Amino acid sequence: MKLISYLKDEHEQLAALHNGNVYDMDTLHPDLPTSINMFLQYWDEYLELAQASLKAVQEGRLMPGNVIPVEQVQLLAPVPMPPSCRDGYAFRQHVEAARRNRKVDMIAEFDQYPIFYFTNHHSIQGPGDVRCMPDHFEKLDFELEVAIVICKHGRNIRAEEADEYIGGLMIMNDMSARRLQMEEMLLNLGPAKGKDFSTVIGPWLVTLDELQEYIVPAKENHVGLNWNLNMKCWVNGKQVSAGNVADMDWTFAEIIERASYGVDLYPGDVIGSGTVGTGCFLELNGTGKLNDPNYPEQWLKEGDVVEMEIDGLGRLSNTMVREEDDFSILAKKKI
C-alpha cells in the first residue's frame, strides 16, 4: 500500500494512493484515522483494515466518495510531524569516495558498527519548495537516500527482529549547506546548522508488502532485509546520481538495533540510510577534482529543481527557493 498525507481544508489528511488516485482513509472505512500519526499507533490493525478496504475498491465492492487524482492535491511529507529523525551512514561506497577525495584512509570503524546523527524533525517536509537563507546557498547540496518509518514501539531491539518495526520505505533528500556544515564540524560537533533547515521525505510511504519482489540478501556478515531498488537523481533535468538500495552495507535492521539500545523508538520515527554512492555534489565534486584539478564545482542554486526516483517508491521533486531575508550568520563570525 502507498500511504500519502496531503493538505485538505488546511489540515493534514491521510489517504491511500492507487492507480494515480487518492482515497481518503476515512472514506475507505469510517474506523480508519485521518492522520498517519494515529495510523502508526495501531499499525497492524489499521493496515489490515485499510488493505481490505482498498481491495474492495479494486474489486468494485466499495465505491468511496472524494476520489481525487494525485496531481490535484498538495502533498505533504508522508509523516509530516515525526517524533524524531535520525540519518545513518550505511553506504560504504560513499564513505570511501569521500575519504579518498580528501586523500585520507578509509575509516576502519565504518565496518565495526552503524552510526547515525539526529537531525531537525521539525524541518521535515514533502515535495515542493525548499526555503533557503543566503548562507544555505553557500555550497547548497542534495543527498540521495532511502528512509524508513518505525511502526511500533520498541526498546533494545535485536537486529534479527528489527524488520518487524519497519512500516515502509520512502525517498529522502537530506538537504545540506556545506559551508556551514564544514565550518561548524571543525569544532567536532554537528552537523547542525548545515543540515537543520530541510529534510525532504516522500512523495509517499510504501509498505513492505509492496516491495517483496525486490528483496535481496543483506551483504555478507550482515542481518536484515535489503531491496534491489535503483536510485537516481536529476538536477534541472540532468541526471547526476545513480545507485541502488541494495548497495547498503549496514541494513536498516542493524541501524534500528543500535538506535534502540537503551532507548525507546516510537511509531513515526524516521530513519534515513545516509547518502548512496555518487549521491551528492560534495562527493561528485571531490571525485571530479581528484581526476582533473580544473573540474568546475557544482552546487545547487536558486530556482534549481532536484528530482529523485527510487524503483517502487515514486519520484520526489523540490525547487530551491530563496527566502526574503538577507540575514547571514556567516557574516557574524568574530574573526
Side-chain angles (χ1 to χ4, degrees):
M1 175 170 279
K2 295 180 177 69
L3 299 173
I4 71 167
S5 297
Y6 75 95
L7 194 64
K8 179 181 180 181
D9 299 328
E10 301 303 315
H11 296 285
E12 168 196 346
Q13 172 68 49
L14 176 63
L17 178 66
H18 176 66
N19 286 341
N21 289 320
V22 173
Y23 297 84
D24 290 354
M25 276 295 163
D26 49 332
T27 64
L28 286 176
H29 196 285
D31 291 340
L32 289 171
T34 58
S35 74
I36 187 66
N37 286 340
M38 181 59 71
F39 195 99
L40 285 159
Q41 295 298 323
Y42 303 95
W43 177 260
D44 290 338
E45 296 88 343
Y46 281 148
L47 182 61
E48 183 178 356
L49 180 56
Q51 288 173 328
S53 300
L54 191 59
K55 185 178 180 181
V57 171
Q58 295 167 351
E59 295 174 349
R61 296 182 286 109
L62 176 64
M63 297 294 291
N66 197 36
V67 179
I68 311 169
V70 68
E71 296 83 8
Q72 295 181 15
V73 303
Q74 181 181 337
L75 290 174
L76 306 172
V79 185
M81 294 178 286
S84 73
C85 184
R86 297 168 172 87
D87 200 13
Y89 208 40
F91 290 95
R92 195 180 213 277
Q93 178 187 346
H94 170 67
V95 180
E96 279 184 326
R99 304 283 294 181
R100 179 201 66 215
N101 294 343
R102 299 203 303 273
K103 298 181 180 179
V104 295
D105 293 335
M106 177 61 182
I107 187 165
E109 287 78 9
F110 177 88
D111 297 311
Q112 296 175 10
Y113 45 85
I115 64 168
F116 63 89
Y117 74 93
F118 281 96
T119 192
N120 183 3
H121 60 290
H122 292 300
S123 290
I124 289 286
Q125 67 169 96
D129 292 346
V130 174
R131 297 184 303 158
C132 302
M133 291 291 287
D135 293 346
H136 296 142
F137 283 107
E138 295 287 325
K139 300 186 176 181
L140 180 63
D141 206 354
F142 68 91
E143 290 191 1
L144 174 58
E145 308 188 19
V146 64
I148 62 168
V149 175
I150 297 297
C151 63
K152 61 179 178 178
H153 172 260
R155 183 184 178 95
N156 295 324
I157 304 163
R158 279 26 175 202
E160 289 77 10
E161 293 109 32
D163 289 321
E164 300 172 11
Y165 292 77
I166 299 175
L169 272 62
M170 57 190 171
I171 303 170
M172 174 184 276
N173 181 0
D174 179 28
M175 295 297 304
S176 304
R178 297 300 188 187
R179 184 177 172 191
L180 284 169
Q181 178 190 354
M182 296 307 172
E183 288 195 2
E184 64 194 358
M185 290 185 75
L186 291 172
L187 293 166
N188 294 323
L189 281 180
K193 296 311 299 176
K195 296 275 192 176
D196 71 349
F197 60 102
S198 172
T199 301
V200 188
I201 56 175
W204 33 78
L205 175 67
V206 181
T207 56
L208 298 191
D209 56 291
E210 285 211 10
L211 301 171
Q212 289 183 349
E213 64 182 287
Y214 300 103
I215 292 175
V216 293
K219 293 197 174 181
E220 187 177 0
N221 297 323
H222 289 271
V223 175
L225 291 175
N226 207 349
W227 296 269
N228 177 25
L229 301 171
N230 289 311
M231 309 171 67
K232 297 177 182 177
C233 180
W234 295 260
V235 175
N236 298 330
K238 179 181 178 181
Q239 185 175 337
V240 294
S241 302
N244 195 295
V245 175
D247 294 333
M248 288 178 68
D249 293 86
W250 292 103
T251 66
F252 279 117
E254 292 166 327
I255 298 171
I256 289 171
E257 180 181 71
R258 187 171 182 88
S260 68
Y261 182 76
V263 170
D264 292 276
L265 298 188
Y266 292 97
D269 285 346
V270 171
I271 302 177
S273 62
T275 312
V276 69
T278 77
C280 66
F281 277 147
L282 181 67
E283 179 189 332
L284 294 169
N285 289 337
T287 301
K289 285 185 171 294
L290 191 67
N291 297 324
D292 176 7
N294 297 316
Y295 179 87
E297 289 189 357
Q298 306 174 80
W299 301 106
L300 295 175
K301 304 180 296 298
E302 181 181 359
D304 282 355
V305 177
V306 179
E307 295 174 286
M308 296 182 171
E309 185 173 277
I310 299 180
D311 289 347
L313 304 186
R315 193 177 182 105
L316 179 63
S317 179
N318 295 94
T319 302
M320 305 302 112
V321 174
R322 185 180 297 270
E323 292 209 44
E324 295 181 2
D325 192 330
D326 61 1
F327 175 50
S328 168
I329 56 173
L330 287 169
K332 293 180 72 69
K333 287 191 299 183
K334 299 299 184 185
I335 299 176

